[in-house]
Amino acid sequence: MISPKLVEVGRHLNINIITNTEVDSISGEPGNFQVSLINRPRFIDPVKCTGCGECARACPVKGPDEFNCSLNTRSATYIRYAQSVPLSYAIDPELCIGCGLCEKVCIAEAIKYSDTVNKTEVEAGSVIIAAGTTPFDPSRLDFYGYGQSPNILTSLEFERILSATGPYQGHLQRPLDLKLPKKIAWLQCVGSRDMNRCGNGYCSSVCCMYATKDAMIAKEHAEGELECTVFNMDMRTFGKEYEAYYNRAKSQGIRFERARVHTVVPIDDTGDLRMRYTNEAGDICEEDFDMVVLSVGLTPSESTVEMAERLGINLNKYNFAETGAFTPVETSRPGIYVCGAFQGPKDIPDSVTQASAAACRAGVTLSPARDTCTLTEEVPQETDISGEEPRIGVFVCKCGINIAGVVDVPKVVEYAKDLPYVTYCDTNLFTCSQDVQDNMKEIIKENRLNRVVVASCSPKTHEPIFMETLEACGLNRYLFEMANIRNQNSWIHSDSPEKATKKAIDLVRMAVARAGTLYPLHDKMIPVTNSGLVVGGGISGMTAALGLADQGFETFLVEQEAQLGGMAVNLVKTIEGADIGAYLNGLIEKVTNHPRIQVLTNSLIVGFTGFKGNFETEVLIGPAMYERKIKHGVVILATGAAEYEPTEYLYGESEAVVTQTELAQRLAENGADDLEQVVMIQCVGSRNDEHPSCSRYCCQAAVKNALTIKKLKPDADVYVLYRDMRTYGFLEDYFTEARKKGVIFFRYTTDDPPLVEKEGDGLSVTFRDHVLGRRLSVSPDLLALSAGMRPRDTEELGTIMKLGRNREGYMIEAHVKLRPVEMATEGIYVCGTAHSPRLIPEAVSQALAAASRATTLLSKNNLTLSAVIAQVDQENCASCLICVRNCPYNVPRINEEGVSEIDPASCQGCGVCASECPAKAIHLNWYEDAQIISKIDALLEETGL
């Protein structure tokens, strides 16, 4: 399925997509850059190309399909993947034989054999580099056997096999003989955490999670039993809710084996693979598998490194962009920012977050020129269709092979032509493509259509596209209906074409029936209060406040404590050695002296009303607790977290037991002269039944303090007792350095945790060494507990503001990947440790991201509210409170007249209230009973029920 973000980018008026292009040079200064581009030839004009695919069908030459990792072939005339943006074909000059067939069949006359390399220039106020990374090539690690058997795959190749658009249409098969595998192994850290054999000492951060995910999906795709084993050193499932996913994988039978693999070799010509590895006990084992998946790491591409060098962007020793501990999206060149995996290995949520953070920093530079270059679409005056008989146009999408590969599309079209009120019906290759949209506009006008039905894919991602097309023709956007004949039909009935075709006919008939009942609805315009409220005065809150204020918006910063700083007040230095105190003091000074920021300390939120763009918050301020009402357009939640106060391991009972934060302060103040032996215990208060998540920062805190002790007193013995060392990304270098400095790491399990006892005036720590297979006892001078993180108590705030929180008390974002800093309630954003445990650079990125997303709302003078909202017939309301209790967004309320009232600006249009109302006093616009019943009647009419 095409990403909704990709569709949005492709259609955005103010985004100019320039493909097949690289940046040659950048001159000038922030606010006024001149960017020189090298445009490589496509040999097919992307403006003229309609994406019909006739050129590819006519092309006689085939070559490896790089998008599917060369597991199948493509034509020399090709499109990278179905529904590419832009939807335009290109010619591969390495494969093309110059036969001219593509030019002969191209009706659009888009073929340009004479296309050449050319240079162009663009002007920019800011530059963001989002060059990404490339998977590590494991062919140079011959002991893994990659290249010796097609059944030894990289993780990306395996992902393509699992994909519905992959070489096997999502069927789990071995490449060698297309047999169904019964036993698959994943090998972790291929091209990562390995200075000796590949020079990549860092952890790629994403491999443990994607291996777990792929194993889970493989079991779902398997026809019969499938045995999945993940061979690993540490399982680094440190993201939000990732530990729960890891635990679920274990509960579903996925085996996680701690081992280092020695060799993988093919077994004769069977296609099976024999693996030799050393297990945790030191035994050499042999095991056979049907397939082996190499979990390859992330590396910057050579072209990206060359570009960075041309642009004067500093790189670290691994050729990722070099950024500061407190400036995670700023490169060494002012005005040029970086985001995503090129800044450092990271997963999708963190990449999306960092992209918004970079946009915020770029936006600060661009804010004085806001809207001076913005394009807006002129929408024609709406046509009045009142009194007209429905004239319905039906557009059935082939969606490449996604639909047409299963459904008999011409048969669906012929059937639809005879349905009531259908005036026009035809098929399109990709209905969502721009050229088809332009053609649809002409058809709507020529045939005087006043209702439109599109039979294609998911309304969730594509409905707005088609609604905009209607508006461009002067039709009301709500005179539109979709039939989902892909996600709900061809994809799930791919093995039953006849049944899928019949179902497609049923879905189209139902959609046409409903389309005939539709009538115009009108959205409402409301003004925006161009100011923001930030709740929480830690690093995230202050960064978010500056992100808004520096772009010209008045900002109110509310902090419950008497001083700003949050959890960072207790921190000393980052693992890189950056001074947190100095940074924090500078941040406080910037915030308190900023002309657009009002800082309210000793303040408590006691009331909250309104909706996006127009909120009002009641705050009790200062010791006198006087009340103030603040009007604002957005809210950014940065309520923060604190270090867990342990109840385990004699904490509070012995002065020799401290947390890692307390140890860092002690080392900064008193040094380590009195320390001969130090023991550290990881995962204290994390990864347990009450708090199942990983606290993310604890492993690096232990390594940081261990290195500090070794620096201050090299002869001191430091023992770290851990479950998994989660020093992800470049933190792995510090873990490696700690081992080189003599810090000794012992792994323990939850079944056999360390035992801490008082021993005279001191302590005794007993634990099992899994290598020696025996218990050891140490009498340390100091025991440091890597205590987990706990979110600040936001139960009362959550009740007042109706916020969603997970079982551990962290705020729940709207979508973990697509909307990682937005709450379900529009206009409310979250960042930092209010969202989940994270390090300072990550908290800074999230704060900037939240400010960036908030700016998209604050920068508008008016907002358009959807007409798809619930409305109450108050005369029939029985005040039973069912709608109040059931609404997931807490919108309905009983008003002063004692009946239910729904705020149209807050309603999300989910329809729960309308479906639950026993008196039928609530109806949902665009989903009224008659409109739903019309679809049911149409379905039953054909079946004869």
Side-chain angles (χ1 to χ4, degrees), residues 12-157:
H12 203 292
L13 281 177
N14 293 296
I15 298 178
N16 182 17
I17 300 173
I18 309 173
T19 58
N20 245 32
T21 297
E22 62 179 307
V23 177
D24 185 37
S25 63
I26 299 176
S27 59
E29 57 188 17
N32 188 23
F33 286 118
Q34 289 77 47
V35 184
S36 177
L37 306 175
I38 299 176
N39 311 106
R40 307 292 180 190
R42 297 176 64 102
F43 304 106
I44 296 180
D45 188 335
V47 177
K48 290 184 178 180
C49 179
T50 63
C52 68
E54 289 299 323
C55 55
R57 282 186 280 275
C59 181
V61 182
K62 300 289 184 181
D65 183 356
E66 300 91 342
F67 183 72
N68 278 327
C69 302
S70 300
L71 293 170
N72 59 352
T73 60
R74 62 161 172 81
S75 302
T77 304
Y78 71 103
I79 194 166
R80 186 164 171 77
Y81 57 90
Q83 297 176 306
S84 290
V85 174
L87 186 63
S88 173
Y89 279 73
I91 296 176
D92 184 345
E94 299 296 323
L95 287 177
C96 180
I97 59 174
C99 64
L101 288 176
C102 57
E103 187 176 29
K104 292 177 183 177
V105 300
C106 182
I107 300 174
E109 299 181 348
I111 308 299
K112 291 176 61 178
Y113 291 132
S114 60
D115 206 357
T116 59
V117 175
N118 66 83
K119 286 191 173 184
T120 56
E121 284 198 355
V122 296
E123 294 182 342
S126 297
V127 176
I128 298 174
I129 299 176
T133 56
T134 189
F136 174 78
D137 179 5
S139 58
R140 51 183 160 143
L141 305 178
D142 56 0
F143 54 89
Y144 285 130
Y146 183 72
Q148 297 176 27
S149 168
N151 293 337
I152 302 175
L153 304 161
T154 68
S155 45
L156 186 58
E157 291 167 347

Side-chain angles (χ1 to χ4, degrees), residues 534-581:
V534 179
V535 185
I539 285 180
S540 294
M542 290 189 287
T543 301
L546 287 169
L548 293 179
D550 286 346
Q551 295 190 68
F553 302 110
E554 185 180 9
T555 304
F556 303 91
L557 179 59
V558 176
E559 168 55 46
Q560 186 174 341
E561 303 297 329
Q563 63 178 16
L564 299 175
M567 184 178 177
V569 170
N570 300 316
L571 305 181
V572 181
K573 289 187 177 182
T574 67
I575 197 168
E576 300 88 356
D579 189 330
I580 297 174

Side-chain angles (χ1 to χ4, degrees), residues 37 115 142 154 180 208 262 287 300 309 331 336 352 358 379 387 531 574 587 631 702 765 775 837 841 895 930 939:
L37 306 175
D115 206 357
D142 56 0
T154 68
L180 303 178
C208 287
H262 181 269
E287 194 169 350
E309 291 172 348
T331 70
I336 299 182
V352 172
V379 178
S531 61
T574 67
L587 197 60
K631 293 185 177 181
V765 181
R775 300 189 71 77
N895 63 17
L939 176 64

